[in-house]
Amino acid sequence: MDHLPLQLLMGQIKARTGVERGTTPLNKGIMERWSGRVAVVTGASAGIGAAIAQELVKKGLKVVGLARREDRIKELSETLSSEPGKLYALKCDVTKEADVKDAFEWVKSNLGGVDILVNNAGVASENSLTDGPVDSWRKILELNVLALSVCTREALQIMKERGVGDGHIIHMNSVSGHVLPPTVFPIYMYAASKHAVTALTEGLRRELVKENSRIRVTSISPGIVKTEIIEASGMAIPSEFLYGTFPHLEASDVADAVLYALGTPPHVQVQELTLRPVGELS
């Protein structure tokens, strides 16, 4: 059972117990404590971010989705109108510090603050370390590393101001943040950015421990996930080839992992959670 994909495992639990995804006996009561509280999800207009936002709304949270494509989040929000929570769409380019500050100020003024931050926004691209282009490197580092750090700083400041004792920061990492991807995928600057996320997760954990804070930080590292990142990043590899050739996860599998991390008891910190599709080689 330890080697089953998380979504399949959840499906088997439901079949045996009638319990839906994210509400297993392990975390059902714990997830209920998040109901009515506020989560900010970056890159919420599609893929993993949209899947996470959707599941959190179903658990009764007020979710603020940040993205440049605000209309996509509004469309998703309309489909969730009957759920116990609510999805708010906020236009924000997280690579711009002023946008991020304005977004978190909106959250603070309109919803009282933030309890959960999911740093999901990210970009990848095929580029050479010997040739560049530098603009591509800069885009990766600005979004995957700097924007994540700025969002984290803003969320933590609000949590500390409000005295939030059980807040949670989740960094969307990657298997590439721990081991280099196969040579067939020349995405080494992307891998470098995700290695930075691994270091930032541990660094933040140490800082929070030093402050005697109970705020938790989690890195979630999936393998290949079927999303729009290939098209959005302008990568040359056809998505049909990638997902037709290599084992992959669905965005909902990663959303399940977020629910698991949030659903553990407050004294438990899931620092790293790695998800791979069965059959993935590297």
Side-chain angles (χ1 to χ4, degrees):
M1 182 176 290
D2 289 343
H3 301 288
L4 289 174
L6 188 57
Q7 188 178 41
L8 178 58
L9 176 58
M10 293 298 186
Q12 290 190 356
I13 290 174
K14 179 184 176 184
R16 292 195 300 268
T17 67
V19 176
E20 294 285 354
R21 172 192 298 149
T23 56
T24 67
L26 173 65
N27 66 4
K28 182 178 180 181
I30 302 298
M31 279 306 299
E32 288 175 354
R33 73 183 173 87
W34 292 114
S35 181
R37 299 178 74 178
V38 180
V40 173
V41 180
T42 69
S45 60
I48 294 171
I52 293 169
Q54 177 176 273
E55 290 304 318
L56 292 178
V57 169
K58 289 180 179 179
K59 299 300 176 288
L61 280 82
K62 301 171 187 175
V63 181
V64 180
L66 305 185
R68 291 175 298 175
R69 297 180 294 179
E70 180 186 14
D71 57 314
R72 296 281 296 270
I73 305 175
K74 288 181 177 178
E75 291 174 5
L76 177 59
S77 178
E78 291 174 1
T79 69
L80 299 169
S81 59
S82 62
E83 299 296 341
K86 183 175 176 61
L87 176 59
Y88 300 83
L90 210 57
K91 186 173 183 178
C92 177
D93 182 346
V94 293
T95 64
K96 297 178 179 178
E97 185 177 4
D99 275 18
V100 173
K101 286 185 173 181
D102 288 345
F104 279 92
E105 185 59 36
W106 185 95
V107 173
K108 182 179 176 181
S109 299
N110 291 273
L111 300 177
V114 58
D115 302 287
I116 297 167
L117 169 65
V118 182
N119 279 309
N120 167 75
V123 67
S125 66
E126 297 168 290
N127 48 58
S128 167
L129 297 180
T130 56
D131 299 319
V134 173
D135 285 346
S136 178
W137 296 348
R138 183 176 294 110
K139 184 178 180 181
I140 291 171
L141 296 174
E142 284 182 346
L143 183 54
N144 296 6
V145 180
L146 293 179
L148 173 145
S149 299
V150 172
C151 288
T152 299
R153 182 195 66 191
E154 295 301 309
L156 284 171
Q157 286 179 355
I158 294 175
M159 288 181 187
K160 291 175 182 178
E161 288 174 7
R162 295 175 58 228
V164 174
D166 60 346
H168 205 136
I169 307 290
I170 294 178
H171 294 333
M172 198 53 57
N173 200 337
S174 167
V175 167
S176 298
H178 306 275
V179 295
L180 287 182
T183 306
V184 69
F185 300 119
I187 52 173
Y188 300 123
M189 187 60 72
Y190 170 80
S193 74
K194 292 303 184 178
H195 272 71
V197 172
T198 300
L200 291 170
T201 302
E202 171 61 6
L204 180 58
R205 187 193 70 81
R206 293 184 184 188
E207 288 189 10
L208 292 171
V209 169
K210 190 174 181 179
E211 296 173 5
N212 294 316
S213 173
R214 304 294 291 178
I215 296 172
R216 300 184 292 176
V217 56
T218 298
S219 159
I220 295 181
S221 301
I224 297 175
V225 184
K226 187 176 182 180
T227 67
E228 298 177 10
I229 194 170
I230 300 296
E231 293 80 7
S233 301
M235 296 175 68
I237 183 171
S239 58
E240 296 83 2
F241 169 77
L242 177 66
Y243 302 126
T245 305
F246 298 94
H248 59 271
L249 301 167
E250 300 292 338
S252 58
D253 297 318
V254 185
D256 284 339
V258 171
L259 294 179
Y260 171 77
L262 290 172
T264 54
H267 70 281
V268 175
Q269 177 158 258
V270 180
Q271 181 175 346
E272 172 60 41
L273 186 54
T274 303
L275 310 175
R276 289 180 181 269
V278 170
E280 186 172 86
L281 291 176
S282 63

